[in-house]
Amino acid sequence: GAVVSQHPSRVICKSGTSVKIECRSLDFQATTMFWYRQFPKKSLMLMATSNEGSKATYEQGVEKDKFLINHASLTLSTLTVTSAHPEDSSFYICSASTGLAEYNEQFFGPGTRLTVL
Amino acid sequence: AQKVTQAQTEISVVEKEDVTLDCVYETRDTTYYLFWYKQPPSGELVFLIRRNSFDEQNEISGRYSWNFQKSTSSFNFTITASQVVDSAVYFCALSATSGTYKYIFGTGTRLKVLA
C-alpha cells in the first residue's frame, strides 16, 4: 500500500519550453502533496505544499509563476516548470500524505529527472 | 528553528565492517518524529524507520539498528556487517508540530561500501 508514482521519470527539454510532471497516489487519497527539488549531491528542499482543491503554499524563495502546482484531485498533483532554463535542471520528487496520521506521514514518489538544454 | 545535521558527508568502509551514521536534530517541540531514508543511485527514497519523540527504545531490524537519545538530540543509524548493496546516500529527517509536520531533511551521508 501507499504507492506514489511520478510521470515522466526522466525528461529532456529545450530552454524556453514548459514541462509538466505528474504525481499520483495509486492506492490512497492524498489530502496533501509535497514537491521537493534535489540538486546533485544535495539534500531535498521543499518547494511547496498543496492541498486538494486549494492553492499551493510555496516555500520562501520559490517562484510561484515559475513552478505552477495544481492539486485537482485527491490522487493527482502536477508541477509545471514554465519557460524552463538550464538552471531548472534538477531531480524533482513528490510525496503524498493522507493527513490521517498526526505526523503527516509522507510517501515518496520515485522522482523525475529534468534536464533543460 | 528546526534543523537536522548530518556531519558526515561521505563515509567509505570495506565490506563487512560496521558503520554508524550520525544524525543530530534541533527542535523546541516536545512532539516530533524522526526518520531515516536510503537513496540509492536510482534516486528513489526508501523509507527505513520512523521514531516518535516519546519512544526512546532502540530498534534493530536485521543488520540495521537505530539509537535514539533525546538527551543528546541524536538519532544515529548503524549498519552491521555492511554490504556493497548498502552503498547509497542516507538522509535523516525531522517532522515536528511547530513546523506543521513538514519534513526537514539533513544534508545526507554518502556511504560507499567497498568489496
Side-chain angles (χ1 to χ4, degrees), chain B residues 46 66 86-87 98:
Chain B
V46 177
W66 291 270
D86 295 328
S87 298
S98 63

Side-chain angles (χ1 to χ4, degrees), chain A residues 49-63:
Chain A
T49 304
S50 73
N51 291 296
E52 187 263 340
S54 58
K55 289 186 178 181
T57 302
Y58 290 80
E59 295 298 301
Q60 193 171 10
V62 177
E63 299 176 61

Side-chain angles (χ1 to χ4, degrees), chain A residues 42-97:
Chain A
K42 297 293 184 183
S43 188
L44 283 74
M45 298 301 297
L46 180 65
M47 298 174 66
T49 304
S50 73
N51 291 296
E52 187 263 340
S54 58
K55 289 186 178 181
T57 302
Y58 290 80
E59 295 298 301
Q60 193 171 10
V62 177
E63 299 176 61
K64 302 178 184 181
D65 296 331
K66 176 75 171 175
F67 300 100
L68 300 179
I69 292 172
N70 184 289
H71 191 163
S73 77
L74 285 172
T75 59
L76 173 65
S77 176
T78 59
L79 167 67
T80 301
V81 183
T82 61
S83 187
H85 288 96
E87 57 266 30
D88 298 323
S89 297
S90 190
F91 191 56
Y92 292 88
I93 303 173
C94 75
S95 70
S97 172

Side-chain angles (χ1 to χ4, degrees), chain B residues 7-22:
Chain B
Q8 303 150 308
T9 304
E10 186 168 317
I11 301 175
S12 291
V13 298
V14 176
E15 208 170 17
K16 297 184 183 177
E17 283 186 3
D18 298 347
V19 59
T20 295
L21 309 182
D22 298 333

Side-chain angles (χ1 to χ4, degrees), chain A residues 2-73:
Chain A
V3 179
V4 176
S5 69
Q6 279 185 245
H7 179 78
S9 57
R10 187 180 295 266
V11 58
I12 301 173
C13 69
K14 292 183 179 179
S15 187
T17 60
S18 294
V19 175
K20 181 185 285 189
I21 302 170
E22 292 186 348
C23 176
R24 292 182 186 274
S25 56
L26 299 184
D27 50 3
F28 66 99
Q29 294 189 323
T31 56
T32 306
M33 287 186 169
F34 304 83
W35 287 95
Y36 296 83
R37 182 174 184 177
Q38 185 181 28
F39 289 109
K41 297 190 177 183
K42 297 293 184 183
S43 188
L44 283 74
M45 298 301 297
L46 180 65
M47 298 174 66
T49 304
S50 73
N51 291 296
E52 187 263 340
S54 58
K55 289 186 178 181
T57 302
Y58 290 80
E59 295 298 301
Q60 193 171 10
V62 177
E63 299 176 61
K64 302 178 184 181
D65 296 331
K66 176 75 171 175
F67 300 100
L68 300 179
I69 292 172
N70 184 289
H71 191 163
S73 77

